[in-house]
Amino acid sequence: MTWDASGAAKRLQEPEGYPQSVVEDINNQHVSVGTASLYSTTWAVRWDRDGRPTFLEQPPNSVGSLATRVNDSGEIIGSARFLGAGNTSAVRWDASGKVMYLGSSTFPSPATARDINNRGTVAGDTYESVAGGYRAARALRCCVFRVMPGASDGSVAYEVNNRDVFLGATKIGDRIETVRWDNNGGTVVMKPVPGTSRRNVHALNDAGLAVGTSDQRAAIWDVNGNATLLPDEKPGRVLKNSMAQTINNAGRILGSAEYWDVPTRAVIWR
């Protein structure tokens, strides 16, 4: 289903012969992506603005695929599956629907594509065959994944904004830190709110502001990685927990809050 700005719903068609479908993302041109399934077989699908489905091109010898993100140019990321345990490779479809590998330019290799921006830059992780292990990586529109500067074994880049600034996690010293990589590879640690210890940073906007939680409270991070708690929706009531889930380029934040005497509620911070 898709919903327009008035809240009216539209049902997307399944490809003929495929009774199940899941939509994962939609862009500002109302193009949606996801999957359609028949029994245990699942393939990546693109729906046009009128809800008509098209299967995306498949890499040779693949036995399944997923489409997870689409940008405003119609470029899509996801994965393709091959026979054998763990044989999943990150792929990109260009606006015409042509598929390419992201882990290697010529063959499937272990990698995960997690986000794509409107410049066609992809955030994710790729397997480093020389050093061993997965590392945070980025791929420009033209190219396959390249490891982020200073990325440790087990690191990941999971969000990229339209200025090629990345959000992710890597090991610094003996700790796993949530970090922001700028478009030159410089690293900023996203610090917890003073007096708290755990943070989970979810999303990043084009101004470089990030949101998430510090301990169990919604928080916002500035471009220097310093965090501030977001205000309570109901001052004077005992807050159980709150979460900031995403932030747009106007600075509006979507999340939730739960009080001891009030069930979990959707919240917008402006």
Side-chain angles (χ1 to χ4, degrees):
M1 303 287 289
T2 61
W3 287 262
D4 65 20
S6 71
K10 176 192 294 184
R11 189 181 186 283
L12 300 179
Q13 305 169 29
E14 281 83 20
E16 186 175 354
Y18 284 74
Q20 296 177 307
S21 62
V22 176
V23 176
E24 298 286 350
D25 196 21
I26 188 170
N27 68 12
N28 287 326
Q29 280 64 53
H30 304 172
V31 173
S32 306
V33 297
T35 57
S37 301
L38 177 64
Y39 303 117
S40 60
T41 303
T42 298
W43 297 106
V45 176
R46 174 176 54 202
W47 286 268
D48 65 21
R49 64 182 300 119
D50 295 318
R52 293 184 296 260
T54 303
F55 283 115
L56 295 169
E57 180 185 12
Q58 303 304 315
N61 303 315
S62 59
V63 296
S65 60
L66 304 172
T68 55
R69 294 287 185 274
V70 58
N71 69 10
D72 287 345
S73 299
E75 298 166 301
I76 300 164
I77 58 169
S79 62
R81 186 167 56 88
F82 301 84
L83 291 176
N87 288 342
T88 300
S89 184
V91 294
R92 176 212 301 269
W93 291 271
D94 66 19
S96 71
K98 183 175 176 58
V99 69
M100 66 170 284
Y101 299 117
L102 281 169
S104 164
S105 61
T106 57
F107 57 88
S109 61
T112 304
R114 301 183 185 274
D115 194 23
I116 184 170
N117 67 14
N118 288 333
R119 300 171 67 172
T121 303
V122 181
D125 52 82
T126 189
Y127 186 76
E128 269 286 283
S129 57
V130 176
Y134 285 86
R135 283 171 167 76
R138 60 183 173 185
L140 302 181
R141 176 175 281 150
C142 63
C143 309
V144 298
F145 274 135
R146 292 290 181 266
V147 173
M148 302 292 287
S152 68
D153 181 19
S155 58
V156 62
Y158 53 80
E159 181 112 351
V160 57
N161 71 13
N162 288 315
R163 296 180 178 176
D164 281 5
V165 176
F166 298 79
L167 197 60
T170 191
K171 190 173 184 180
I172 298 177
D174 60 353
R175 293 170 57 94
I176 298 294
E177 300 281 7
T178 300
V179 298
R180 194 180 64 241
W181 285 279
D182 65 28
N183 54 12
N184 296 314
T187 304
V188 173
V189 175
M190 312 297 279
K191 298 177 282 291
V193 172
T196 69
S197 58
R198 296 172 298 165
R199 75 282 200 210
N200 192 349
V201 189
H202 298 296
L204 181 72
N205 72 3
D206 288 350
L209 302 176
V211 296
T213 57
S214 193
D215 282 352
Q216 293 186 317
R217 294 285 304 277
I220 184 168
W221 281 259
D222 65 19
V223 296
N224 297 312
N226 299 311
T228 304
L229 293 179
L230 291 169
D232 291 352
E233 179 211 7
K234 293 182 173 295
R237 298 206 175 180
V238 180
L239 181 67
K240 189 175 181 181
N241 59 69
S242 59
M243 176 184 295
Q245 197 68 38
T246 190
I247 180 171
N248 68 13
N249 290 331
R252 293 185 176 181
I253 301 165
L254 181 67
S256 62
E258 181 181 5
Y259 296 82
W260 286 106
D261 59 340
V262 179
T264 301
R265 301 158 54 92
V267 176
I268 293 178
W269 288 273
R270 303 176 188 272

